[in-house]
Amino acid sequence: MFQFLIDEDQVEKNSGISHSETNEIFSVGEKIKCDKHSGVVKYVGNVNPHSGIWLGVEWDDPVRGKHNGSVDGVEYFQSTQNNAASFVRPHKVKRAKDVFTALRERYGYDPEVMSRLKLMSETITPRQVCFEDLSILDLNGKEISEFGEPGELVKICPNVEFLNLSDNLITSWKAVTETCAMFKMLKSLDLSRNPLLPPDYETVKSLPTLNKLEHIVLGNVKYGWSNVLTASILWHHVTNLQIPFNLVDRIFPPTKSLLNLNKLDLEGNRISVWDEVIKLNVCQG
């Protein structure tokens, strides 16, 4: 059934929104966000018999999907996960950004200005010249999906101790660790509400580790305890772990990582008996 498209048309009619009111042009393969859901554009074009341009999206969370990319017997694209796809209007989504676009929007970063910093320091506002002194980098909710080459961000903000990347479109632990490992003073990292794909053990072993990290927040990333344990290989010296509103229902005692843990936030998980938490008495923190 394609009823959801008709429903969207009706909502737009009632709200006075025209399909032509957006000038955004999207391409297949782009990362996007719609409300609280993120996904990848797999199709751009018409969907018969409905007018206007539609985006066929495969959602990171399959629950958001309605089909596999086929409607009324016509295959417009094929999702890799079952029933993880749907169609939306372009004006309903936001395009993902790279971290430097987000930096410019949040802090006014201008690479041309920064390159002439020494010659023009007396004419540049403090907001533009303080990046080297920045210890807290807050890029929450900026639709970030890309970090560029490892080392690029740290050249701009070398002394960051707390990095907030929550509410973005980050899916890859590889991108996270390759970027964050460059920050020699990084102590705290927030990756909450990102569509982070659960890591597998073989991949994790090949990634750089965040040895200086003391505190990490992974709120609402839909991880179970086994996912947390696998990811923790990347930040095994953490003493403060916050994983609220995830899917943890059982605890397996850590053997290689998290042994220095002294603070653990399990709010909003699925643990129902205290005995599960007691299994963490192996932690020496």
Side-chain angles (χ1 to χ4, degrees):
M1 295 292 292
F2 207 44
Q3 184 64 39
F4 70 97
L5 287 182
I6 298 174
D7 291 343
E8 287 193 1
D9 283 338
Q10 188 63 43
V11 169
E12 290 163 348
K13 181 179 179 181
N14 293 340
S15 62
I17 297 174
S18 168
H19 299 328
S20 62
E21 287 180 12
T22 175
N23 294 319
E24 290 277 5
I25 299 175
F26 291 86
S27 302
V28 171
E30 281 196 272
K31 194 80 176 175
I32 58 92
K33 184 176 183 179
C34 182
D35 297 324
K36 295 182 180 180
H37 297 275
S38 60
V40 177
V41 176
K42 293 294 188 75
Y43 172 82
V44 180
N46 296 318
V47 177
N48 292 327
H50 306 279
S51 63
I53 298 298
W54 295 87
L55 302 182
V57 179
E58 179 168 357
W59 302 101
D60 294 319
D61 184 355
V63 173
R64 173 66 173 81
K66 299 176 183 291
H67 50 71
N68 293 326
S70 298
V71 176
D72 294 336
V74 179
E75 182 179 283
Y76 294 91
F77 64 100
Q78 191 170 33
S79 61
T80 56
Q81 301 182 81
N82 190 40
N83 288 330
S86 68
F87 289 92
V88 294
R89 293 294 190 183
H91 69 259
K92 291 192 173 184
V93 308
K94 294 181 179 180
R95 176 180 277 107
K97 304 167 186 170
D98 62 51
V99 70
F100 304 105
T101 300
L103 193 67
R104 182 168 59 251
E105 291 179 354
R106 180 60 57 86
Y107 293 99
Y109 172 72
D110 186 329
E112 282 192 29
V113 171
M114 297 302 290
S115 69
R116 301 195 302 270
L117 182 59
K118 291 184 179 179
L119 297 176
M120 302 174 59
S121 58
E122 70 280 0
T123 64
I124 302 175
T125 65
R127 189 179 180 211
Q128 292 175 311
V129 301
C130 65
F131 289 99
E132 289 189 3
D133 299 325
L134 204 61
S135 62
I136 299 175
L137 183 57
D138 183 3
L139 296 174
N140 164 269
K142 301 302 291 183
E143 287 87 46
I144 297 169
S145 66
E146 303 291 338
F147 289 96
E149 291 296 320
E152 287 187 35
L153 185 58
V154 75
K155 290 178 182 178
I156 302 169
C157 312
N159 297 311
V160 169
E161 297 181 31
F162 172 73
L163 178 58
N164 184 0
L165 294 171
S166 60
D167 280 307
N168 280 292
L169 301 175
I170 302 164
T171 59
S172 167
W173 276 106
K174 182 176 185 291
V176 169
T177 56
E178 286 183 345
T179 297
C180 293
M182 297 291 181
F183 289 99
K184 303 305 181 184
M185 301 177 66
L186 186 64
K187 297 178 181 179
S188 182
L189 175 64
D190 191 343
L191 293 168
S192 299
R193 296 174 299 281
N194 275 283
L196 275 168
L197 298 175
D200 64 85
Y201 181 70
E202 291 303 317
T203 300
V204 163
K205 289 195 303 181
S206 67
L207 299 180
T209 56
L210 309 180
N211 294 324
K212 298 291 182 67
L213 202 65
E214 300 174 1
H215 174 215
I216 189 166
V217 190
L218 292 170
N220 198 11
V221 292
K222 300 182 180 177
Y223 276 15
W225 183 248
S226 60
N227 302 135
V228 173
L229 276 184
T230 303
S232 70
I233 297 172
L234 299 169
W235 24 270
H236 54 276
H237 292 308
V238 159
T239 59
N240 185 352
L241 173 62
Q242 293 183 258
I243 49 173
F245 302 101
N246 276 287
L247 308 178
V248 177
D249 56 0
R250 297 181 62 189
I251 297 288
F252 306 101
T255 58
K256 296 181 179 180
S257 57
L258 302 183
L259 296 178
N260 296 317
L261 206 62
N262 57 42
K263 293 181 181 179
L264 175 63
D265 180 0
L266 287 168
E267 179 187 1
N269 278 279
R270 300 179 177 182
I271 294 175
S272 58
V273 293
W274 185 250
D275 288 348
E276 292 297 324
V277 180
I278 294 176
K279 294 177 183 178
L280 290 170
N281 62 6
V282 298
C283 300
Q284 302 168 6

